[in-house]
Amino acid sequence: MMQKGLLIGALLLLTHLATSAINVIPYPNKLITKEGSYSIHESPTIFYSAKSATSADYLKQALFSEAKLKSVKKMPKRKSGIFLELLAPDAEGNTESYQLNVSKAFIHISATSNTGLFYGIQTLRQLIKEGEIPCVEIEDAPRFPWRAYMLDVSRHFRTKKFVKQMLDEMALLKMNVFHWHLTDDQGWRIEIKKYPKLTEVGAWRADSQTGGWNSDTYSGEPHGGFYTQADIKEIIAYATKRHITVIPEIDMPGHARSAIASYPWLGVTKEAVDMPVRFGKVGQDVYDVADPRVFEFLQDVLDEVMALFPSEIIHIGGDEIDYEQWKNAASIQKLMKEEDLATPADVQIYFTNKISNYLDSKGRRMMGWNEIMGKNIHEWQDKEDMEVSSSLAANAVVHFWKGDLKLVTEAATQGYSIVNSIHTETYLDYGYKSIPLSRSYAYNPIPEGLDTKHHDKIKGLGCQNWSEWTPTEERVEEQTFPRIAAYAEVGWTDLKNKNFERFSRNLEDYKTRWEKLSIHYSRNYEPKK
Ligand code: ACM
C-alpha cells in the first residue's frame, strides 16, 4: 500500500512538473512534451534567412533583455542554435500558425510568415526558465483571427509610453488588434490638421466627474491631451513591429460632443456647447447628418485617419445615438422626406451606409458597434423610432456589445462579419464582482445556440477598457490585468484545450512579470459575490 501510494505521489508530481513546465498563455493547441531541456546559458547562434531578419532581430533583443545573454553569436557552421525558418505559404493562407520544436541541441521555429515566427518567439520567451527551455514539439494556431484589446483614451488620456507598454503585453499574449477609442463626448484625442480646433478645444475639459454615474463629485482638476499625427505614426510603427493592427475608432454620428464643442456647426442645433465634465448619461449631441458640410468634415477627418492608419478596417463607433435632436430638427425632417426615411433609425442607417460606401471607395472597410444595424438594443429608445426599412451595407463588420442570440443570428444570416464583445462578459471597466477572472476565461465568443453554419462569421472578440472611472494608469491596469490574459486564451486556444486551473497556475509567471514591470494587477480577481 505504502509503495503504491508513493508511486502515485511520484507520478502525480511528475505529471505536475511536465505540465507546469509548459506555462504558456495562451496555451498552445498541439503540444508534446519530451525529456530534457535546451540550455540557453550560453549565447546561441541564430540561423535565419534575409526574409526573417526582422524576426531574428526581435528574438535577439528578447534574449538579451529576458534571458540576460550578453551577445548572440552568428556561427553558421555550428550544429546547435536557434533556427528561424520561413515556409512557403500554405493552401489555407494561414499566417498566424507556427511550429516550435525544442530539443537538447537546437530550437526550430517555422512558420509561413514573420507573424507566425513572432508567435513562436512569444511561446519561446515564456518557456525560458533560468536558462533552460523544456524540450517540446508545438504546432500552434489561433482559434480566432480577431483578438482585440480596446483602450478608451477619450474619457481619460493615456501617454504614448503607457500605450506602448500595453502593446508589449498584448504581443506576449499573441493579441493582434489594438482598438484605439480616440474620440468621444469627453475628449477628441487625434490631431486632424484640417480642423485644429478638434484638439485645441475638444481635447481639454475643465474638470472630471468622479465616483460613478450618478455622483456629484469631481476631480477638481482640468484634464486633457491628444496625439499628434507623428505620435500616432510612432504608435502604429511600434504595434506593427509586434504584429498588432491598430484600429482607430472615430465615433459618429453620436458621442460627438467634443467635435461639436470645437465646431458648433457640426451639431444639429448649431449652438455652442462646452466640453462636458460629466460621464453619466448618454450624450445628446449628434452630428447634423443632413448638412453636406458635416459629411464633408467627416470625409476629411476619415481621409487624414486613413492616411495614418494602414488597417483595412476603420471603426466608426455608431453606438448609443440619442435621437431627440434629430427628431426636433427641421434639417433632418427635410432629409427624411427627401430620402424617404421613415424613422430616426433609418436616418442612422442612411448615414452609416454613406460612410461605409465612402470607406469602401478608398479600399477600406467599416466596422461599428451593433447599433449600426438599426436594431433596438436600448431600453431608453422609443420602439417606433427603431422601425427600419433599410439595411446596413453588406461589407460592414458588426461589433456586438449588446443584444441577444436572435440579433447575432440575424447579423450572421445577413452575411455580416461579427466581432463579439458582449458587454456582460468582456467589459474591463466592469468590476471583478460582475466579471471575475473565471468568467472572463469561460467566455465563448460563439454564443450558445448559434447554428454551426454561422460559426465562421464570428471573427473573434475584443475586451474593452472604457475609462470613465479609471483616471489613473494604475486603475486601468488593475481593471485590465489579469483579465486580459484570460481573453487572450479565449481568442487563441481551442475550446477543448482550455483549462482554468492550468491557466490560473500559468498566470503565476505573468504576475511575476507584471510585478517586475510595475504593472498593477488586481489581486482580488475572484471575489465572492
Ligand atoms: C458602448 O459600450 N457604448 C459600445
Side-chain angles (χ1 to χ4, degrees):
M1 276 314 283
M2 177 72 183
Q3 270 184 341
K4 197 174 168 198
L6 272 178
L7 188 65
I8 289 171
L11 277 175
L12 279 176
L13 183 68
L14 274 178
T15 328
H16 178 70
L17 281 178
T19 50
S20 67
I22 309 301
N23 38 9
V24 176
I25 295 176
Y27 202 69
N29 278 311
K30 255 195 215 164
L31 174 156
I32 302 169
T33 51
K34 297 185 297 185
E35 279 287 300
S37 63
Y38 178 98
S39 181
I40 200 161
H41 294 290
E42 273 183 49
S43 305
T45 308
I46 299 178
F47 299 90
Y48 56 93
S49 66
K51 280 191 183 151
S52 54
T54 51
S55 297
D57 281 346
Y58 178 85
L59 174 60
K60 277 182 220 171
Q61 276 174 23
L63 293 178
F64 285 145
S65 62
E66 288 166 24
K68 305 270 185 278
L69 300 182
K70 291 212 173 50
S71 69
V72 178
K73 292 177 220 153
K74 197 153 198 276
M75 289 170 43
K77 288 211 180 84
R78 244 173 75 163
K79 277 265 162 21
S80 166
I82 304 180
F83 294 77
L84 298 179
E85 187 186 3
L86 264 183
L87 307 169
D90 68 10
E92 285 129 48
N94 235 323
T95 56
E96 295 195 300
S97 57
Y98 69 92
Q99 293 84 43
L100 168 64
N101 195 344
V102 180
S103 70
K104 288 176 195 165
F106 65 86
I107 294 170
H108 190 163
I109 305 176
S110 58
T112 58
S113 74
N114 276 297
T115 305
L117 291 181
F118 183 80
Y119 290 147
I121 294 170
Q122 301 316 313
T123 298
L124 183 65
R125 285 172 69 195
Q126 294 176 64
L127 287 173
I128 303 175
K129 294 278 144 17
E130 287 159 18
E132 298 295 322
I133 305 169
C135 293
V136 279
E137 274 175 39
I138 290 174
E139 252 183 70
D140 205 7
R143 181 178 175 211
F144 293 107
W146 186 283
R147 307 177 300 278
Y149 172 71
M150 190 207 83
L151 189 62
D152 168 8
V153 293
S154 168
R155 272 56 176 265
H156 283 99
F157 181 67
R158 299 273 80 100
T159 62
K160 276 189 292 180
K161 181 164 176 270
F162 182 83
V163 172
K164 285 181 180 173
Q165 183 164 53
M166 279 309 312
L167 292 167
D168 285 341
E169 294 313 300
M170 287 176 65
L172 188 60
L173 288 163
K174 304 188 179 85
M175 296 178 88
N176 63 351
V177 175
F178 176 54
H179 170 183
W180 210 357
H181 187 79
L182 285 163
T183 73
D184 212 307
D185 293 320
Q186 291 84 4
W188 185 284
R189 306 288 177 217
I190 172 172
E191 177 192 25
I192 299 295
K193 303 238 191 230
K194 193 161 180 188
Y195 301 98
K197 281 192 186 169
L198 287 171
T199 43
E200 285 165 14
V201 175
W204 310 96
R205 58 176 189 257
D207 209 339
S208 302
Q209 186 186 14
T210 56
W213 303 108
N214 299 316
S215 92
D216 280 316
T217 56
Y218 294 87
S219 69
E221 286 170 5
H223 179 84
F226 67 94
Y227 308 100
T228 64
Q229 295 203 349
D231 292 336
I232 301 262
K233 283 183 195 157
E234 186 183 324
I235 293 290
I236 293 171
Y238 195 87
T240 305
K241 270 198 182 147
R242 286 153 185 77
H243 298 263
I244 294 169
T245 303
V246 186
I247 304 285
E249 182 182 345
I250 310 294
D251 216 331
M252 62 186 83
H255 288 278
R257 171 86 168 225
S258 60
I260 295 168
S262 310
Y263 297 100
W265 53 267
L266 291 170
V268 175
T269 67
K270 312 290 180 198
E271 282 165 14
V273 290
D274 56 5
M275 281 297 294
V277 296
R278 289 184 69 81
F279 301 114
K281 190 163 170 14
V282 169
Q284 291 173 310
D285 296 277
V286 291
Y287 287 118
D288 179 1
V289 298
D291 183 343
R293 281 184 309 162
V294 174
F295 193 70
E296 205 176 296
F297 162 85
L298 291 170
Q299 281 184 331
D300 291 340
V301 168
L302 289 172
D303 284 348
E304 291 196 30
V305 166
M306 286 186 279
L308 288 168
F309 291 84
S311 65
E312 185 200 9
I313 291 177
I314 306 288
H315 204 304
I316 60 105
D319 54 321
E320 297 182 309
I321 300 105
D322 185 331
Y323 291 143
E324 232 20 64
Q325 289 188 342
W326 281 357
K327 279 160 68 172
N328 296 322
S331 62
I332 302 289
Q333 297 309 314
K334 185 162 165 278
L335 175 80
M336 288 172 77
K337 277 214 186 78
E338 283 167 5
E339 298 291 336
D340 199 18
L341 305 167
T343 67
D346 276 328
V347 174
Q348 188 185 348
I349 291 183
Y350 162 85
F351 163 78
T352 307
N353 285 351
K354 262 176 87 167
I355 295 289
S356 176
N357 291 338
Y358 184 69
L359 292 173
D360 282 356
S361 76
K362 304 285 174 186
R364 306 301 179 100
R365 191 170 174 196
M366 187 191 75
M367 177 168 185
W369 299 106
N370 61 309
E371 282 96 326
I372 59 174
M373 289 182 68
K375 303 292 168 187
N376 188 10
I377 59 171
H378 296 297
E379 53 295 338
W380 45 264
Q381 263 164 346
D382 293 339
K383 280 218 167 50
E384 61 269 26
D385 289 348
M386 300 304 302
E387 299 290 330
V388 284
S389 47
S390 28
S391 61
L392 175 66
N395 201 27
V397 180
V398 176
H399 198 176
F400 258 85
W401 73 282
K402 223 173 164 183
D404 54 17
L405 178 63
K406 187 167 159 280
L407 268 190
V408 178
T409 305
E410 231 174 280
T413 308
Q414 289 169 23
Y416 296 113
S417 290
I418 297 164
V419 171
N420 198 349
S421 291
I422 202 80
H423 69 110
T424 51
E425 317 301 319
T426 69
Y427 271 25
L428 288 163
D429 52 318
Y430 290 13
Y432 283 85
K433 274 213 162 104
S434 53
I435 311 185
L437 182 69
S438 53
R439 184 165 175 143
S440 304
Y441 190 81
Y443 176 54
N444 186 355
I446 297 182
E448 205 180 320
L450 185 69
D451 196 313
T452 48
K453 70 177 185 234
H454 296 315
H455 285 195
D456 70 335
K457 286 287 164 209
I458 310 285
K459 302 301 175 192
L461 77 154
C463 52
Q464 292 69 220
N465 212 129
W466 299 104
S467 72
E468 289 94 339
W469 314 114
T470 46
T472 62
E473 292 181 357
E474 290 78 22
R475 287 289 299 116
V476 175
E477 288 169 2
E478 280 166 4
Q479 293 299 111
T480 301
F481 300 94
R483 287 186 291 199
I484 190 172
Y487 294 118
E489 193 148 312
V490 167
W492 186 278
T493 308
D494 291 340
L495 277 183
K496 65 176 191 306
N497 295 326
K498 281 175 72 187
N499 177 327
F500 185 61
E501 273 173 35
R502 180 203 62 221
F503 168 80
S504 304
R505 260 200 321 272
N506 290 351
L507 200 57
E508 293 305 314
D509 279 353
Y510 268 86
K511 289 188 200 167
T512 310
R513 170 187 169 80
W514 295 332
E515 275 157 27
K516 270 195 205 140
L517 294 170
S518 301
I519 291 176
H520 300 78
Y521 63 88
S522 170
R523 281 148 216 268
N524 190 24
Y525 50 73
E526 214 56 48
K528 301 227 166 14
K529 294 217 169 159

